[in-house]
């Protein structure tokens, strides 16, 4: 504004004053427009460098260590036969001077996948073990409105016996039991307890609904219960360490065979890994050969036998007329 009054103009001032007002911000600041491609080029060069770097190859795990002291993460976890693992657990107890009657536990890792995106829902089950390892008795409640059935239930060790009058106390948590069994006549009146008891609600599938009260009480008072945790793991005790090895093996196989019934045999086995340990020892990975039920092999043998029978049948010649 001073220059026109004085009659003189600074060099280059006309060019500055002649800049149109409608210029874009990028044209008014050419350095900003040039900075953006530079940043993009820098990002591209970094990404290219990352891609050019070869990924570090994971070292293959070795099978068996040579020395007594070694890094465990460099070697595959060894697996043991069932009898060998039990012998090691008993030996660990002797060397560590721990209690000989400690519990033996198993951790079962499951493959719950079915076809496509379907999978086996987490479940719980009860099984009668061939060799009991504890004197604990489960608390069983019996639903019945028949006086004679109630007397039979009390004689065979039922903790609580009653009819619909128990519903209120169960809903208010005044009465609790480990298992609930019922006779068929009263089951329509127990519908209010379905959401409360959930998996423990009496049903024929769980063998907790029936007319043979002594049989149901004997099973549920002495049965062993296990549950799937964290969607695919079962952690349960199976025996005591001082029991004979064959008794521990029988209990373990009984539980494993019951677990395998929750997935159809035409899919991959539900048991992926099996680890056994005692209360004070490390876990030992078991070799599954001879532990899982051989369902497929039995079916194959039956098919082979059927084929042999067909071959042995005499071929009947057509009768000419």
């Amino acid at each position: 504004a001073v220059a026109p009054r004085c009659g003189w103009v600074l060099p280059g001032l006309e060019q500055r004053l002649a800049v149109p007002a409608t210029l874009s911000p990028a044209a008014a600041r050419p350095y900003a427009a040039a900075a953006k491609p530079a940043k993009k080029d820098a990002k591209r060069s970094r990404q290219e460098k990352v891609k050019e770097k070869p990924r570090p190859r994971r070292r293959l795990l070795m099978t068996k260590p040579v020395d007594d002291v070694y890094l465990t993460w460099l070697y595959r976890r060894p697996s043991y036969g069932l009898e060998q693992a039990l012998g090691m657990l008993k030996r660990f107890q002797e060397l560590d001077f721990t209690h000989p009657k400690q519990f033996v536990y198993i951790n079962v890792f499951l493959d719950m996948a079915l076809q496509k995106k379907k999978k086996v829902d987490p479940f719980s089950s009860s099984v009668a073990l061939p060799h009991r390892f504890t004197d604990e008795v489960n608390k069983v409640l019996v639903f019945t409105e028949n006086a004679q059935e109630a007397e039979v239930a009390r004689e065979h060790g039922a903790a609580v016996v009653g009819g619909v009058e128990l519903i209120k106390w169960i809903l208010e948590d005044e009465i609790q039991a480990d298992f609930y069994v019922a006779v068929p006549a009263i089951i329509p009146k127990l519908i209010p307890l379905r959401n409360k008891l959930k998996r423990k609600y009496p049903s024929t599938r769980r063998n907790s609904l029936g007319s043979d009260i002594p049989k149901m009480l004997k099973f549920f008072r002495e049965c062993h219960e296990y549950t799937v945790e964290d969607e695919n793991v079962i952690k349960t005790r199976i025996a005591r360490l001082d029991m004979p090895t064959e008794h521990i093996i029988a209990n373990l196989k009984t539980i494993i065979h019951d677990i395998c019934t929750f997935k159809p045999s035409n899919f991959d086995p539900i048991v992926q890994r099996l680890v056994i340990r005692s209360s004070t020892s490390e876990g030992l990975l078991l070799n599954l050969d001879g532990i899982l039920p051989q369902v497929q092999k039995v079916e194959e043998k039956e098919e082979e036998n059927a084929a042999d029978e067909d071959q042995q049948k005499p071929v009947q010649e057509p009768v000419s007329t």
Side-chain angles (χ1 to χ4, degrees):
V2 178
R5 292 182 182 178
C6 300
W8 54 274
V9 179
L10 294 175
L13 185 59
E14 296 91 349
Q15 295 178 0
R16 294 182 183 178
L17 295 175
V19 175
T22 58
L23 285 176
S24 63
R29 295 183 299 166
Y31 58 87
K36 290 182 180 179
K39 290 182 180 179
K40 290 182 180 179
D41 295 339
K43 289 182 180 179
R44 289 176 183 173
S45 61
R46 290 175 186 173
Q47 293 176 355
E48 291 175 357
K49 289 181 180 179
V50 171
K51 291 181 180 179
E52 290 175 359
K53 288 183 179 179
R55 293 183 179 181
R57 292 184 179 180
R58 186 174 181 179
R59 182 181 297 179
L60 296 176
L61 297 178
M62 293 177 280
T63 55
K64 190 175 181 180
V66 179
D67 300 324
D68 295 337
V69 180
Y70 58 92
L71 297 174
T72 56
W73 56 271
L74 288 177
Y75 297 87
R76 296 176 184 174
R77 186 175 183 178
S79 61
Y80 305 94
L82 184 51
E83 293 185 3
Q84 180 186 6
L86 291 174
M88 294 173 65
L89 294 181
K90 292 177 180 289
R91 184 59 178 164
F92 292 160
Q93 180 271 321
E94 295 175 357
L95 295 175
D96 296 339
F97 297 98
T98 53
H99 200 277
K101 292 187 177 182
Q102 58 187 291
F103 288 115
V104 178
Y105 297 85
I106 56 172
N107 293 355
V108 189
F109 299 87
L110 307 177
D111 178 12
M112 309 286 275
L114 295 174
Q115 57 184 1
K116 297 182 179 179
K117 295 183 179 180
K118 295 181 180 180
K119 64 178 182 178
V120 180
D121 295 328
F123 56 87
S124 63
S125 180
S126 302
V127 61
L129 297 178
H131 305 283
R132 296 196 64 204
F133 58 91
T134 177
D135 296 330
E136 299 175 1
V137 177
N138 298 318
K139 184 179 179 180
V140 184
L141 184 148
V142 178
F143 288 107
T144 180
E145 293 180 324
N146 185 291
Q148 294 180 353
E149 292 177 343
E151 186 62 27
V152 171
R154 294 189 185 95
E155 291 176 356
H156 287 81
V160 182
V161 182
V164 293
E165 70 276 3
L166 299 178
I167 295 177
K168 177 183 177 182
W169 302 107
I170 295 174
L171 292 175
E172 295 178 355
D173 293 329
E174 295 292 335
I175 296 178
Q176 295 181 353
D178 298 317
F179 297 97
Y180 301 81
V181 301
V183 295
I186 198 176
I187 198 66
K189 302 178 182 179
L190 302 180
I191 294 177
L193 293 176
R194 185 182 293 274
N195 292 333
K196 177 68 176 179
L197 300 182
K198 295 180 180 179
R199 294 178 180 175
K200 294 185 177 182
Y201 187 78
S203 66
T204 53
R205 186 171 59 86
R206 299 180 182 275
N207 299 320
S208 57
L209 177 62
S211 302
D212 194 343
I213 294 178
K215 181 180 179 180
M216 292 189 296
L217 281 172
K218 178 176 176 56
F219 174 79
F220 286 105
R221 290 181 78 244
E222 300 178 357
C223 70
H224 178 75
E225 185 180 24
Y226 63 87
T227 306
V228 176
E229 305 174 10
D230 301 328
E231 295 186 354
N232 66 337
V233 181
I234 295 175
K235 301 177 182 179
T236 185
R237 58 187 185 180
I238 61 170
R240 290 189 182 274
L241 193 58
D242 63 332
M243 292 173 58
T245 300
E246 58 270 17
H247 291 185
I248 302 176
I249 293 175
N251 284 359
L252 183 144
K253 288 187 176 181
T254 300
I255 295 176
I256 295 299
H257 287 202
D258 187 69
I259 293 172
C260 291
T261 60
F262 285 88
K263 188 175 181 180
S265 58
N266 55 337
F267 292 95
D268 293 334
I270 190 171
V271 178
Q272 277 189 324
R273 287 190 299 135
L274 179 59
V275 177
I276 191 169
R277 65 175 180 85
S278 66
S279 301
T280 59
S281 74
E282 62 177 297
L284 302 177
L285 182 65
L286 292 178
N287 188 345
L288 296 178
D289 293 340
I291 298 179
L292 300 182
Q294 304 296 327
V295 178
Q296 295 180 352
K297 291 184 178 180
V298 172
E299 293 177 353
E300 290 176 358
K301 288 181 180 179
E302 291 179 353
E303 292 178 357
E304 291 177 359
N305 294 334
D308 294 339
E309 290 178 359
D310 293 339
Q311 291 177 0
Q312 292 175 2
K313 288 181 180 179
V315 180
Q316 295 181 357
E317 296 181 356
V319 179
S320 59
T321 57

